[in-house]
Amino acid sequence: MVSSLPLFLLLLLLLSAASFGGGVRLGNGGYEDWRLGTATYVKEFQSHPLNDGGGACGYGDLDIFRYGRYTTGLSAALFGRGSACGGCYELRCVNHIQWCLRGSPTVVVTATDFCPANMGLADEAGGWCNFPREHLELSEAAFLRVAKAKADIVPVQFRRVSCDRAGGMRFTITGSAHFLQVLITNVAADGEVAAVKVKGSRTGWIPMGRNWGQNWQCDADLRGQPLSFEVTGGRGRTATAYSVAPADWMFAQTFEGKQLAE
């Protein structure tokens, strides 16, 4: 276990971040450099959103929605009240000979959950997600790609990277006669969703608000109309999926539309 990071290790981490450099292109001219943080993991047999398909992003079954086993929960400093859902992060364990795997291999994970603070515990003794710490609570499969299973909390370098997704964005429609809600998944490029609009065949474009995670909602009855969606990613790119749902769509159905492009 790592109880605390001595000053010399923190200095080494800072020097390493400067020496590695080389940000990853995120599209739209953007790059992001390595940042310093920490990581823990949740064992797969434990009842936890990372394993049972729940989570604060609302994705449900992570296999059905194509996120698989390489996922992470984010501390409040990274989660942004759900705005980080779907974003992809590359990370590696650094500067800990005992726990980091040799060669500091990297793994790419998708943000699917929130790691809540525990202000009753010290930052390095269970309060790992306390604000303003930048912490990633990895799935066990992801953690074992970069560190040994016996480790507790490890120092990492991480950075945002573009998401590589197969197929188009997916829109799962729920709601009632009084409101429409859509869960947006399988978002490439930015991974994140910053804004959503919906349009029926008898309406103009209606802005949707973030209900929670990646569930977006508007107070409109759009039953019996084909639905189009306009999705804006975290870095400003927009994709419009026209008539993605036919006029006879039903609640709980999922439809696939246009994908965000790099």
Side-chain angles (χ1 to χ4, degrees), residues 176-250:
S176 71
H178 307 291
F179 71 95
L180 182 84
Q181 183 169 283
V182 59
L183 170 65
I184 302 176
T185 58
N186 202 53
V187 181
D190 303 343
E192 302 172 349
V193 176
V196 180
K197 294 179 182 178
V198 62
K199 183 183 184 304
S201 58
R202 299 189 295 273
T203 73
W205 286 103
I206 303 171
M208 305 186 80
R210 190 189 304 275
N211 186 317
W212 62 285
Q214 283 301 19
N215 285 281
W216 296 78
Q217 181 176 320
C218 68
D219 295 329
D221 182 4
L222 299 179
R223 292 175 298 171
Q225 302 179 54
L227 301 181
S228 302
F229 293 96
E230 180 185 278
V231 178
T232 301
R235 295 183 179 267
R237 287 167 289 195
T238 297
T240 304
Y242 292 102
S243 299
V244 66
D248 61 351
W249 61 266
M250 299 178 66

Side-chain angles (χ1 to χ4, degrees), residues 2-262:
V2 182
S3 58
S4 62
L5 294 177
L7 179 59
F8 80 93
L9 278 181
L10 292 176
L11 292 174
L12 283 175
L13 284 169
L14 291 172
L15 290 173
S16 297
S19 63
F20 280 120
V24 171
R25 186 169 184 177
L26 291 171
N28 203 26
Y31 288 78
E32 185 166 300
D33 292 326
W34 291 104
R35 297 156 64 179
L36 301 175
T38 52
T40 52
Y41 74 99
V42 178
K43 292 184 178 180
E44 292 185 352
F45 63 81
Q46 292 178 338
S47 176
H48 188 278
L50 286 176
N51 303 308
D52 65 18
C57 292
Y59 290 135
D61 190 307
L62 298 179
D63 288 323
I64 290 177
F65 288 103
R66 304 181 182 179
Y67 293 119
R69 301 178 66 202
Y70 296 116
T71 57
T72 186
L74 301 176
S75 62
L78 296 172
F79 190 68
R81 297 183 178 180
S83 64
C85 288
C88 294
Y89 295 80
E90 181 183 20
L91 74 148
R92 57 191 175 195
C93 180
V94 294
N95 297 321
H96 201 295
I97 296 174
Q98 185 178 6
W99 299 132
C100 294
L101 297 186
R102 183 175 299 179
S104 289
T106 67
V107 65
V108 175
V109 294
T110 301
T112 61
D113 198 14
F114 173 61
C115 181
N118 190 337
M119 303 306 295
L121 297 176
D123 289 356
E124 294 293 341
W128 301 313
C129 292
N130 294 346
F131 191 84
R133 290 175 60 89
E134 294 190 336
H135 181 83
L136 297 94
E137 187 179 50
L138 303 174
S139 62
E140 184 174 11
F143 189 87
L144 295 181
R145 292 287 299 273
V146 299
K148 297 177 182 179
K150 291 183 179 181
D152 192 348
I153 178 172
V154 296
V156 297
Q157 289 180 332
F158 70 98
R159 57 186 175 184
R160 278 288 315 280
V161 294
S162 294
C163 297
D164 183 15
R165 304 289 184 218
M169 269 190 286
R170 292 162 65 88
F171 303 87
T172 301
I173 301 171
T174 57
S176 71
H178 307 291
F179 71 95
L180 182 84
Q181 183 169 283
V182 59
L183 170 65
I184 302 176
T185 58
N186 202 53
V187 181
D190 303 343
E192 302 172 349
V193 176
V196 180
K197 294 179 182 178
V198 62
K199 183 183 184 304
S201 58
R202 299 189 295 273
T203 73
W205 286 103
I206 303 171
M208 305 186 80
R210 190 189 304 275
N211 186 317
W212 62 285
Q214 283 301 19
N215 285 281
W216 296 78
Q217 181 176 320
C218 68
D219 295 329
D221 182 4
L222 299 179
R223 292 175 298 171
Q225 302 179 54
L227 301 181
S228 302
F229 293 96
E230 180 185 278
V231 178
T232 301
R235 295 183 179 267
R237 287 167 289 195
T238 297
T240 304
Y242 292 102
S243 299
V244 66
D248 61 351
W249 61 266
M250 299 178 66
F251 292 123
Q253 286 185 315
T254 298
F255 303 93
E256 190 166 311
K258 188 176 180 180
Q259 184 62 270
L260 282 178
E262 289 287 2

